[in-house]
Amino acid sequence: MQKYRLLLLFLFILFLPRDSFGYGLKIQLGTATPTTLLPDNGRPIRLRDELKISFRFHIDSLSAGSILKIVSNREEVFAMELIPGDHETLSPAFIINEEIYTFPAIETPDGWVSAAITLSPLNKLVTLDYEGKQKHLPYSFEKRTFLRMAFGYCPFEGYESTGVAAVTLRDIRLQQNGLPFRYWQLEAHADTLCYDSVIYMPASITNPYWIVNKGGRDTPEAYRQAEPDDLNGYGVIWKMLLFVGAVFILTAAVMQFLYIKNRRRVSNK
């Protein structure tokens, strides 16, 4: 039974929750160019029936500005920013073209908050979500809409950010029609690249500061860990295989234990 105890210990350690600042991408402001993260290397993403963009962030200092900006091929802008609030605080705000929708600031135990924007041509709706508080806004989308998005500083011509929020980002997820489409955890990386764990699509980063290596330059080992077929990338497929394998081994162990117990019972009669 010793080997099964070791297996359980290994699985427990593998799936332990990360500490508050174990990983993430810190948006640097005190440089010539603030940090930028471009999902899919800045290439346009087709908007079909529904696209949900969600992420988590930690406010590092009271610096108002852009966190996310989405630009369509029809010159529409969907964005999230931090704006000055009352008593030296920052309030989250979503922008749809020229309209601004604010949410009350929410404090969480670990300082991390979640936000999401859902664009739904099917339902003719835009859903804004901040820590579970939602606003549903009617919106008509044109056919064949493509989106580009930038976290941190937006470098798109004509849409450059005038201010950038001092935040740390993690767990950027895209869902297309309710299904996982992209997931950049922002942990394993290759300096200016980070692969998503759904189909291993890279996101490009300018002027990165990675929490996992405290802003230092990456070593060849870090590049190796960012390769999409590496276990350290924590890809969805690897997690599924680990889970199935663990269930199989544990089931076999239980069956063997019951078999031995039953044989002993028979032999004692």
Side-chain angles (χ1 to χ4, degrees), residues 23-261:
Y23 65 98
L25 176 68
K26 184 181 180 67
I27 303 299
Q28 297 193 91
L29 305 183
T31 56
T33 303
T35 304
T36 299
L37 183 146
L38 300 178
D40 282 26
N41 282 345
R43 291 190 292 270
I45 296 174
R46 174 76 180 272
L47 176 60
R48 301 187 184 277
D49 290 342
E50 184 175 276
L51 178 67
K52 180 179 180 180
I53 304 104
S54 63
F55 56 96
R56 300 177 66 208
F57 67 93
H58 184 282
I59 300 175
D60 299 331
S61 67
L62 295 179
S63 176
S66 177
I67 297 177
L68 166 66
K69 185 173 286 188
I70 305 167
V71 180
S72 81
N73 58 321
R74 303 183 185 279
E75 299 183 350
E76 301 161 298
V77 176
F78 308 90
M80 184 190 175
E81 298 184 357
L82 293 178
I83 61 175
D86 298 328
H87 309 294
E88 296 186 350
T89 61
L90 295 174
S91 296
F94 293 87
I95 295 94
I96 302 178
N97 299 320
E98 300 296 326
E99 299 292 327
I100 300 177
Y101 304 89
T102 60
F103 284 75
I106 298 176
E107 293 187 3
T108 59
D110 60 359
W112 291 91
V113 292
S114 60
I117 301 178
T118 303
L119 310 177
S120 179
L122 179 64
N123 300 314
K124 297 182 179 179
L125 200 66
V126 174
T127 301
L128 310 176
D129 187 306
Y130 182 76
E131 275 296 305
K133 305 293 184 181
Q134 294 186 340
K135 293 183 180 182
H136 304 280
L137 308 169
Y139 195 92
S140 295
F141 294 87
E142 298 290 337
K143 292 183 178 180
R144 294 189 61 79
T145 297
F146 293 84
L147 307 171
R148 293 180 298 162
M149 59 189 74
F151 287 86
Y153 175 76
C154 179
F156 304 145
E157 185 176 358
Y159 301 94
E160 293 89 345
S161 302
T162 55
V164 180
V167 298
T168 298
L169 297 167
R170 64 165 58 164
D171 299 326
I172 298 173
R173 301 175 190 268
L174 274 61
Q175 288 181 294
Q176 189 84 270
N177 302 338
L179 298 174
F181 184 62
R182 304 282 191 272
Y183 173 34
W184 289 280
Q185 188 182 29
L186 302 185
E187 181 177 15
H189 58 275
D191 198 19
T192 58
L193 281 179
C194 183
Y195 291 97
D196 99 281
S197 58
V198 179
I199 62 169
Y200 307 122
M201 183 65 70
S204 58
I205 300 97
T206 302
N207 193 23
Y209 183 108
W210 296 102
I211 298 300
V212 73
N213 56 332
K214 298 180 174 59
R217 304 300 295 177
D218 289 307
T219 63
E221 178 66 14
Y223 280 85
R224 188 194 69 79
Q225 291 181 354
E227 288 299 317
D229 58 349
D230 190 66
L231 180 61
N232 291 313
Y234 284 90
V236 173
I237 295 176
W238 279 112
K239 277 193 174 182
M240 290 177 62
L241 290 174
L242 281 171
F243 177 76
V244 172
V247 170
F248 176 79
I249 293 173
L250 290 173
T251 302
V254 171
M255 291 180 65
Q256 184 181 14
F257 173 76
L258 294 175
Y259 173 75
I260 294 174
K261 185 176 181 181

